[in-house]
Every structure is written in C-alpha cells, then in structure tokens.
Amino acid sequence: QSALTQPRSVSGSPGQSVTISCTGTSSNVGDYNYVSWYQQHPGKAPKLMIYDVSNRPSGVSNRFSGSKSGNTASLTISGLQAEDEADYYCCSYGVSYKFLFGGGTKLTVL
Amino acid sequence: QVQLVQSGADVKKPGASVKVSCKASGYTFTSYYIHWVRQAPGQGLEWMGIINPRGGSTDYAQKLQGRVTMTRDTSTSTVYLELSSLRSEDTAVYYCARGDRYSYYDYWGQGTLVTVSS
C-alpha cells in the first residue's frame, strides 16, 4: 500500500495561512474519521497537532485546524510563525493496512 | 508527566536481531496502547505495529509479519520491540508512541537509532 499523498513542500510568509493536503482512498481517509497530523522538527520526535480529523489536543495553538472532504484531509495553519517551520505528516487508520502515514510535507516560512 | 523513555542506540550486523525498550511513566500503563513507528534516514514515518499493554495482544504491519515481535512487562511498565533478520533497510530511528487503538499517538519516546551495517 502506498503512503498517503502529501505535497513535498509548501511555503508562506509570516502571518499568512497555508494548507497541506493529504489524499488517501475510500479504504482509509474516506471511510474513517481517524486522520491525525504530526509536526516534526529536525532531530525531534513528532508532535500530535490534530486528531480525529479536526480535534486539537490541549496545548496546541488554535492556529492549527483540520478538515476532510471525501478521500482528502487538510491541515491549515493560520498566522504563520517562524516556529511553524517543520515537516508535517498526516496519518489515517485503514482497514487493510491499519495505519498509513503520508510522505511528509516540508513547510518553509519565508 | 507522561514520559516514554527508550533504550539507547544500537549497531547490528545484517541477519541479527535487535530489541528496543520503551519505559512508560506518568500514567496508568494499561490504559493506553503503545505503537511503534520508525523513520529511515531522511525519510518519512512508517507504522510498525501496536500492542495493548492490558492483555498483550498485538497487531503488526503486513510487511513486517514474521520478523517483528512486541511484548510488554506490566511490572516495570515497559514495552519491547524485537526485529529479527535485520537488513540494511531496517536502519532507522525507532519510536514508541502512546495512543488510541485507531486514532492518534499523543506522547512519543525520544527515539532509538538502530544501524544495520556489516
């Protein structure tokens, strides 16, 4: 099973908004509301940012939001800050391959 | 506070086995699943499997079936990952992560680098 499809890179200026897409199939993203998003800074462990498509864990800024339409989930980061520069990964539960990650998206804050 | 502390880096020869530990603290060990996720150098995240610390049941990624074993010791709140018949492609940072059965991983270990090299 191929990984979920994410853009390799996105960029934005401080204060702007960016959206990262995550495309799967009807066997994972499309069929389950178990999409989560992780932020990873170089050399660090991933950090949970969004779970169950659109829920934010305690302590995560409300500048981060998630949504889903059909087989594609999205992470939107508003009011970009320099500290948001990192790699972002989506993850979905799926019936056959249990958990699939996206290939990762490198966010650059210009 | 919730902590997952993993064992240190390891170097193995091809064909050998490696065992990585993950000691949990700061919460009730049997109340959350533990997932294992690995990341090859410069690559993305790959889910390896899950263990339920309450009963020890496991579920593994299809591609690792037959080479991976996850166990737990409730007396020390520790989960173990064993990977056998190591190949160079298994060189990666291995993470344990606390999570839900289907939904998320909310706390992660610091990662353990396993290098497979002759």
Side-chain angles (χ1 to χ4, degrees):
Chain A
Q1 173 84 8
S2 299
L4 305 177
T5 301
Q6 296 181 233
R8 294 187 76 91
S9 64
V10 297
S11 62
S13 299
Q16 288 186 331
S17 294
V18 295
T19 296
I20 300 171
S21 61
C22 170
T23 301
T25 69
S26 56
S27 297
N28 41 64
V29 174
D31 206 28
Y32 298 92
N33 287 325
Y34 292 136
V35 177
S36 53
W37 290 89
Y38 301 86
Q39 175 192 67
Q40 187 179 35
H41 287 108
K44 301 293 188 183
K47 175 186 176 183
L48 177 66
M49 306 303 286
I50 294 288
Y51 68 96
D52 293 352
V53 176
S54 59
N55 292 309
R56 230 179 5 260
S58 173
V60 172
S61 170
N62 59 9
R63 298 186 298 104
F64 291 83
S65 62
S67 62
K68 188 184 85 166
S69 177
N71 296 337
T72 298
S74 298
L75 173 71
T76 298
I77 309 170
S78 59
L80 268 181
Q81 299 179 0
E83 69 212 47
D84 299 333
E85 185 161 297
D87 293 326
Y88 290 85
Y89 293 90
C90 62
C91 181
S92 176
Y93 178 78
V95 63
S96 297
Y97 292 89
K98 287 96 180 199
F99 294 89
L100 272 178
F101 283 95
T105 299
K106 182 176 179 59
L107 169 63
T108 301
V109 180
L110 301 170
Chain B
Q1 72 283 22
V2 175
Q3 278 194 304
L4 298 173
V5 179
Q6 299 182 222
S7 49
D10 208 344
V11 179
K12 296 292 184 182
K13 294 192 183 305
S17 296
V18 68
K19 193 169 187 175
V20 180
S21 67
C22 170
K23 183 174 175 58
S25 62
Y27 72 98
T28 301
F29 178 63
T30 52
S31 294
Y32 292 85
Y33 292 82
I34 294 289
H35 299 253
W36 287 92
V37 175
R38 69 179 179 179
Q39 186 171 35
Q43 302 300 310
L45 302 170
E46 178 186 16
W47 182 80
M48 300 181 68
I50 182 176
I51 183 167
N52 181 352
R54 184 178 298 274
S57 61
T58 56
D59 195 5
Y60 303 136
Q62 194 171 13
K63 69 175 283 189
L64 295 174
Q65 291 275 1
R67 291 205 299 137
V68 65
T69 304
M70 296 175 189
T71 56
R72 96 287 190 222
D73 181 346
T74 55
S75 68
T76 59
S77 299
T78 302
V79 172
Y80 299 92
L81 166 73
E82 186 165 19
L83 189 61
S84 62
S85 302
L86 288 168
R87 318 157 179 163
S88 57
E89 311 90 86
D90 294 317
T91 293
V93 175
Y94 289 74
Y95 293 102
C96 61
R98 189 188 85 161
D100 181 72
R101 175 60 182 92
Y102 301 107
S103 174
Y104 60 80
Y105 323 118
D106 58 354
Y107 287 90
W108 296 64
Q110 82 276 20
T112 296
L113 175 62
V114 174
T115 303
V116 182
S117 174
S118 54

